[in-house]
Amino acid sequence: QVHLAESGGGSVQAGGSLRLSCAASGLSAYRNCMGFVRQAPGKEREGVAIITRSGGTTTYAEFVKGRFTISQNISRDNAMVYLQMNNLNAEDTAMYRCVADPTPAGCNLRGDFLFKGQGIQVFVSS
């Protein structure tokens, strides 16, 4: 059974940093990539960053390039994915969800992602 659990969210002032973590279990045969998406109240969901299991290729949304870094630490049956978020601004305020998908076709920032975590709130005050 696949399970994704986020941690590390919270409140920070503009210009500050947060590090999100995602603990993934049960994904040994079902994950081509992992990443984070976010959704702010009244806005559509946005893909933030993804990283492939094999090779660690990363993809970032334009609005986080140069500020966010995604990384991973994987084993055969489990994985940790991290999103280091620097120079945060009020527009980064959102619910962030860890996501994963087993197929290359599903691993893009606009993908629906087969597996999703419950989400964690990030609030940036200006």
Side-chain angles (χ1 to χ4, degrees), residues 24-31 34 53 73-80:
S25 59
L27 279 177
S28 61
Y30 301 108
R31 179 174 71 88
M34 290 182 65
R53 178 187 179 97
N73 185 0
I74 59 176
S75 62
R76 189 178 71 111
D77 295 315
N78 299 284
M80 290 293 298

Side-chain angles (χ1 to χ4, degrees), residues 71-124:
S71 60
Q72 64 183 355
N73 185 0
I74 59 176
S75 62
R76 189 178 71 111
D77 295 315
N78 299 284
M80 290 293 298
V81 176
Y82 307 98
L83 186 68
Q84 178 65 43
M85 305 185 294
N86 298 328
N87 195 21
L88 286 160
N89 57 61
E91 288 69 39
D92 296 315
T93 294
M95 177 72 73
Y96 286 71
R97 298 181 75 181
C98 182
V99 295
D101 201 275
T103 66
C107 288
N108 65 85
L109 292 175
R110 284 192 285 269
D112 195 40
F113 299 99
L114 184 60
F115 306 114
K116 303 178 186 68
Q118 290 294 313
I120 195 163
Q121 185 67 43
V122 170
F123 181 78
V124 184

